[in-house]
Amino acid sequence: MTRLITAALLGALSLTACAQAPQAPAADEAAAKPAPAAAPAKGGTPEERARNAIAQLNPQAKVDYVGAAPLPGFREVIVGGQLLYVSDDGRYLMQGAVLDLQEQQDLMQGSTALARYRRDLLASVPASERIVFAPPNAKYTISVFTDIECGYCRKLHSEIADLNRLGIAVEYLAFPRMGLGSQDHKDMISVWCAPDRRRALTDAKAGKPVPSRDCKNPVTMEYDLGQRIGVSGTPAIYSAEGVQLGGYLPPQALRERLDELAVKAKPAAAGMK
């Protein structure tokens, strides 16, 4: 229990990933500040009140999902890949960890709606637009938003053979954390345009010069998709079910985490039959 609370309060993910470079807010977003002493959001249903509450905070925000939360009296809301709880009257908003002390779990991290949202977005990227390192008959497949300069990304990639030996296929998506138009972005385009993407990515992560190339490529699209999912640093690792596994994890720890998810998924699958 102490371990769970510590992870939730300290945000362990930030310690095992390279942070995305700060992005300048758009003018309309900067202007969209909540009015002081705002009244509870109006609306005929809890879902409408949740949407109205988000609109009060930022009229430009796009709400991707609203549904019942496991916490009574609240709605789950997904905005920009982030999960929020909004009270049914539209007055209160929570973001971060919501701990169920009886079940010893973080309700927000365990949200099936958020995992399903991420899974569907990830599924929109075909294998041909990823850089794949897979063993024969892989037991698990992970999607990893990666950057070629991030130290944790390089460490993860240096252990790719160990991950493959453990039955884990790694499918990379591009996330140039320094932002679009940066040299990082241009270098990742060069990697994705290389005749041998796997070799080019491995060389780039080893610090070797990246020969400049250009072609029709998915780098910007994958970066934008990562933003929608809520990626804020690299590596960002997701299971096939859309569960975020964290930033960097050692190979054995990653395999154990995937095994845990597989065990939890069995009762859920049996209940759907």
Side-chain angles (χ1 to χ4, degrees):
M1 171 57 74
T2 302
R3 186 176 174 184
L4 170 64
I5 293 175
T6 301
L9 296 183
L10 297 184
L13 172 59
S14 64
L15 302 178
T16 56
C18 302
Q20 179 185 1
Q23 304 296 305
D28 54 359
E29 292 178 348
K33 297 180 180 179
K42 297 180 180 179
T45 66
E47 286 76 10
E48 291 172 341
R49 287 190 286 272
R51 291 180 182 276
N52 290 338
I54 299 300
Q56 284 185 22
L57 291 173
N58 184 351
Q60 308 301 321
K62 180 180 181 296
V63 176
D64 295 297
Y65 169 84
V66 180
L71 187 66
F74 284 81
R75 302 288 107 180
E76 282 187 330
V77 183
I78 298 176
V79 182
Q82 302 298 319
L83 182 66
L84 311 172
Y85 279 7
V86 178
S87 60
D88 287 347
D89 62 3
R91 180 174 179 178
Y92 300 104
L93 181 149
M94 293 192 297
Q95 181 179 17
V98 177
L99 303 178
D100 183 331
L101 298 180
Q102 179 174 320
E103 297 296 328
Q104 299 191 16
Q105 65 178 356
D106 182 347
L107 298 181
M108 286 194 167
Q109 286 298 319
S111 169
T112 56
L114 182 58
R116 186 166 55 246
Y117 168 78
R118 291 167 170 167
R119 180 200 65 197
D120 292 346
L121 284 178
L122 289 168
S124 69
V125 183
S128 62
E129 295 182 353
R130 304 170 181 234
I131 299 181
V132 179
F133 292 81
N137 304 314
K139 182 174 178 61
Y140 299 113
T141 298
I142 57 174
S143 295
V144 181
F145 285 90
T146 194
D147 177 81
I148 60 175
E149 296 184 350
C150 166
Y152 283 111
C153 295
R154 292 182 172 187
K155 182 171 179 58
L156 179 73
H157 192 68
S158 72
E159 298 167 339
I160 204 82
D162 295 327
L163 290 166
N164 285 173
R165 277 194 292 270
L166 289 170
I168 301 171
V170 179
E171 299 190 352
Y172 283 120
L173 296 92
F175 194 85
R177 62 190 178 89
M178 300 311 293
L180 301 182
S182 65
Q183 186 60 46
D184 187 28
H185 178 219
K186 296 173 184 176
D187 286 344
M188 294 197 76
I189 288 175
S190 295
V191 167
W192 253 257
C193 289
D196 185 342
R197 292 178 178 176
R198 286 161 48 103
R199 170 58 66 86
L201 183 65
T202 298
D203 287 348
K205 286 179 180 285
K208 295 181 180 180
V210 180
S212 180
R213 300 182 179 91
D214 197 10
C215 66
K216 183 179 180 181
N217 66 84
V219 172
T220 298
M221 180 275 292
E222 291 178 3
Y223 176 83
D224 290 341
L225 184 138
Q227 298 274 40
R228 291 177 62 193
I229 286 179
V231 174
S232 59
T234 54
I237 306 173
Y238 296 88
S239 73
E241 298 77 25
V243 176
Q244 185 166 10
L245 303 173
Y248 167 79
L249 286 172
Q252 188 59 46
L254 185 53
R255 173 59 196 252
E256 290 171 2
R257 179 76 175 111
L258 289 165
D259 287 340
E260 290 173 5
L261 288 176
V263 170
K264 290 180 181 178
K266 288 181 180 178
M272 295 175 63
K273 292 181 181 180

